[in-house]
Amino acid sequence: MIVNLNDGNRTIRSTVIGTLLPGFPGTSVPEWLIRELRDGLAGVCLFGSNIESAAQIRELTSAIRGANPAAVITLDEEGGDVTRLYYDAGSPHPGNAVLGRLDDLAATYASAAAIGHDLRRAGCNLDLAPSADINSNPNNPVIGVRSFGDDASLVANHSAAWVQGLQSTGVAACLKHFPGHGDTAQDSHLTLPTVDAPLDVLLERELAPFRAAIAAGAATIMTSHILVPALDAHNPATFSRAILQDLLREELGFTGVIVTDALDMHGASGSIGIPAAAVRALAAGSDLLCLGSDTSEDEYNRVVAQISAAVQTGELRIDRLEDAQRRTASLFDRLPRAVQSADKPSNPPAQPLADAATVAGTFQLNSRARKWLANSTQPFQLYQLSSPANMAVGHVPWGPASLDSTPDASTMVHTIQGPGQELASIPAGARVALVGRNLHLNEPGMELISELRQQDIDIMVIEMGWPSADSTVADACTFGASQLISTALVGLLMGGLPQGAA
C-alpha cells in the first residue's frame, strides 16, 4: 500500500511527530526543537544534564510550553536514587524500597503527592515513575532499591498508592517497566536481558503490580527492553505485539498511553539503530516514543523520515500511527482532574512525609551492627567506597559524602576511589564505618571488605543499595542512598536516631 504523504493540510509528518518524545543536550531548548514543538511535536523528555536549578528548569519548561501549550514535559523523578529535579544534591524523598519497608500506604501516597507538587512547580506534567518491578533477583544491577520490594502483593499495593498520590496533583504517572524488569541480572541500557520465568509465575508475580496500577487509573505504562520467552520468544517487550496488544491492551484492559523506555538503550536499538526501533515500537503498539537523551536534530529527522517511509510502504499501518498520536494527544484527559498551570500549584498533601527518624527505623541491622552502634559515644572513622554509576541513576551525589557536613565536624567522610590504600594506616582497635552501594556487585569492594574483616578493627559495613542474598556481606542496609536516607544514616551513626529492624 502506498500512502500519500500530503493529505490536505494534515501531513503524515505531523502525525509522526505527535508520537515522539526526544531529549536534547544542554540546559536550554534548541531552536530546532522549538520549531518542531510549534509544528505539533508531542513533547520533550528531560534528563539530569538538562537541569541546573529550580529557576532554570522553570524557564526551560516555560519555553517548551510557549512553543506548544499541549506538550508532554516529562522526566524520571522516582523520589529516591533516581532523581532529575535534585540531580545536583540527591532527592529529599525516601524512595520506593524504604517506602516498601515502611509499608504504610498513606506514606507512599504522601511521598508521591509531594513529588507531584515538586514537578508541578518545575512545569512538568508526566513523571516516568514509579517502578512497579518486583526485585526478585538481588543481583539486579538496574532495579534494586527502585523497587518497593520482592513481594508481589506489597509491590502491587504501593504501586497503586503511588499512582494515586502523584495523579492527585494533576501529574500523570507512568508504571514501568512492563511486563517486569525485576528478575534479571542484566541492565537493558547495556544489553538485551532475558526474564526466563514460566508463564504462571509471570501472571502471579510480575503482572500483579500492573493490574493494581491499571485499576488505580495509571495514565501511562512504560515498556521494557527485555526478552520474556514465556510471552514472546522472539521480540523484546517494546517490539512485541503479543505483549503490548494481546496482553497489556486486551487481557489487562489498559486503555491509556504506552510509552517506550528510551530507544537509545542497547536493549532496543543496539543492533538496529533508533529509527528502526521507533518503527518497530509503533507497529507493536507503543504510542509515545522516548528517543533518549542528547537527541540531535539530524538523528531526530532520521527517525521521522523512517517512520514516514514505513507508513508509505505499508510496514507501519497508518491507522496504528494515528491511534498512537490520538492516544498521546488525550493523555491528560485520563487524570482525576485536568492538569493545571504550574503557576497555580494545588494544596500540599495533608499527610506528614517520612522524616529521618522514620527512615532510620526501616534500616536492616544485624547483631554486629547493633553492637557497633551501642558504642555511639566513641569516636569512629567514616569511609565511603566509590562505585560505578548505575546508568538509570546517573552521577547523582549519594551517601554521607553527599552531605554538606556531619553533625559532628570531627567525623569526616573519607571517599575511597581506589582499592583502599587510604585504609592502610588504620590503627588496631579503631572503630570504622564503611559505606558502599551494591557492594556484592563490586568485586574490588568485596575484596576490600574481606581484607578489613581480617584486621583488628571494629568495623561495620553498610550497604546503601539492595542487599546481597549473602547476609554476611554487610552488617546494615539502608535500602537507598538519597539525600534523606543519607541524612538518616549519619544520624544513626552519631547515635541521634533510633535503630532499625533486624
Side-chain angles (χ1 to χ4, degrees):
M1 177 180 66
I2 304 298
V3 177
N4 185 352
L5 295 185
N6 292 296
D7 182 15
N9 293 325
R10 182 175 179 81
T11 65
I12 295 298
R13 189 181 193 280
S14 68
T15 308
V16 170
I17 67 174
T19 69
L20 301 183
L21 201 63
F24 61 90
T27 56
S28 59
V29 189
E31 190 54 43
W32 70 264
L33 197 50
I34 293 291
R35 292 196 304 270
E36 291 301 307
L37 285 162
R38 289 173 179 156
D39 286 345
L41 175 64
V44 176
C45 186
L46 304 178
F47 294 83
S49 59
N50 299 128
I51 300 171
E52 287 182 336
S53 65
Q56 175 265 337
I57 190 175
R58 281 296 301 272
E59 183 177 343
L60 189 152
T61 56
S62 293
I64 295 170
R65 190 167 285 107
N68 180 356
V72 175
I73 306 177
T74 188
L75 39 61
D76 294 272
E77 190 59 44
E78 298 180 9
D81 286 19
V82 176
T83 180
R84 302 296 181 249
L85 293 181
Y86 301 98
Y87 198 73
D88 62 337
S91 173
H93 302 292
N96 285 2
V98 167
L99 290 170
R101 286 181 63 77
L102 188 61
D103 199 13
D104 180 341
L105 295 180
T108 295
Y109 182 103
S111 184
I115 291 170
H117 290 287
D118 291 347
L119 292 168
R120 285 277 300 280
R121 284 189 290 272
C124 301
N125 50 24
L126 169 64
D127 188 5
L128 300 178
S131 169
D133 305 292
I134 297 165
N135 201 64
S136 54
N137 188 336
N139 292 329
N140 194 311
V142 69
I143 303 300
V145 298
R146 301 167 67 193
S147 168
F148 289 109
D150 56 12
D151 177 79
S153 178
L154 181 142
V155 175
N157 291 337
H158 286 274
S159 295
W162 211 99
V163 165
Q164 291 170 332
L166 182 79
Q167 294 191 168
S168 74
T169 69
V171 176
C174 184
L175 267 289
K176 59 188 185 185
H177 305 80
F178 189 81
H181 202 314
D183 190 15
T184 175
Q186 296 174 303
D187 183 350
S188 52
H189 290 86
L190 306 173
T191 189
L192 177 60
T194 296
V195 172
D196 210 11
L199 181 60
D200 59 336
V201 172
L202 294 171
L203 295 177
E204 294 300 318
R205 187 181 65 183
E206 269 72 12
L207 297 185
F210 293 98
R211 289 194 196 94
I214 290 170
T220 76
I221 288 179
M222 177 181 283
T223 69
S224 60
H225 309 320
I226 60 173
L227 194 65
V228 189
L231 300 175
D232 187 332
H234 306 290
N235 301 294
T238 300
F239 304 149
S240 172
R241 187 168 179 82
I243 292 175
L244 301 187
Q245 183 62 37
D246 299 346
L247 177 59
L248 181 54
R249 289 287 189 213
E250 296 181 13
E251 185 171 338
L252 299 185
F254 181 63
T255 59
V257 175
I258 299 176
V259 184
T260 70
D261 206 346
L263 294 180
D264 64 349
M265 294 166 60
H266 191 280
S269 59
S271 61
I272 61 175
I274 296 174
V279 172
R280 290 187 64 184
L282 282 168
S286 297
D287 305 308
L288 184 57
L289 312 185
C290 180
L291 302 184
S293 61
D294 297 348
T295 308
S296 67
E297 181 179 9
D298 180 61
E299 187 168 54
Y300 169 84
N301 284 331
R302 289 201 303 272
V303 170
V304 174
Q306 190 144 340
I307 296 173
S308 300
V311 172
Q312 188 177 33
T313 62
E315 180 184 358
L316 174 64
R317 293 175 57 91
I318 183 63
D319 56 350
R320 168 76 276 272
L321 177 65
E322 290 174 338
D323 175 61
Q325 190 274 336
R326 185 167 51 249
R327 287 181 188 274
T328 296
S330 62
L331 189 162
F332 300 112
D333 295 343
R334 302 181 56 80
L335 296 185
R337 59 173 180 265
V339 174
Q340 303 171 36
S341 167
D343 296 322
K344 298 178 181 178
S346 52
N347 294 326
Q351 297 95 332
L353 302 180
D355 57 16
T358 302
V359 168
T362 69
F363 293 169
Q364 177 178 288
L365 308 174
N366 66 12
S367 58
R368 187 203 301 261
R370 293 184 183 281
K371 182 179 179 180
W372 193 99
L373 291 167
N375 296 321
S376 60
T377 59
Q378 301 300 314
F380 67 94
Q381 297 178 53
L382 178 56
Y383 292 87
Q384 180 167 319
L385 181 63
S386 295
S387 61
N390 177 308
M391 292 192 70
V393 174
H395 298 281
V396 177
W398 66 278
S402 69
L403 305 179
D404 292 335
S405 63
T406 59
D408 181 352
S410 65
T411 303
M412 297 179 60
V413 184
H414 305 278
T415 302
I416 307 169
Q417 300 289 350
Q421 295 91 340
E422 298 91 338
L423 299 177
S425 60
I426 297 177
R431 297 181 71 236
V432 173
L434 177 65
V435 176
R437 182 163 64 173
N438 298 323
L439 290 167
H440 59 295
L441 304 180
N442 181 348
E443 185 174 347
M446 290 291 288
E447 292 175 356
L448 174 61
I449 291 170
S450 177
E451 293 174 7
L452 291 173
R453 295 258 196 228
Q454 299 174 37
Q455 296 184 23
D456 183 21
I457 58 176
D458 184 11
I459 184 170
M460 176 171 64
V461 177
I462 302 159
E463 171 63 71
M464 296 198 76
W466 192 271
S468 168
D470 180 356
S471 60
T472 66
V473 172
D475 305 307
C477 183
T478 66
F479 291 87
S482 71
Q483 184 184 78
L484 174 60
I485 296 174
S486 301
T487 300
L489 173 59
V490 171
L492 177 69
L493 295 176
M494 297 298 177
L497 291 178
Q499 294 188 12

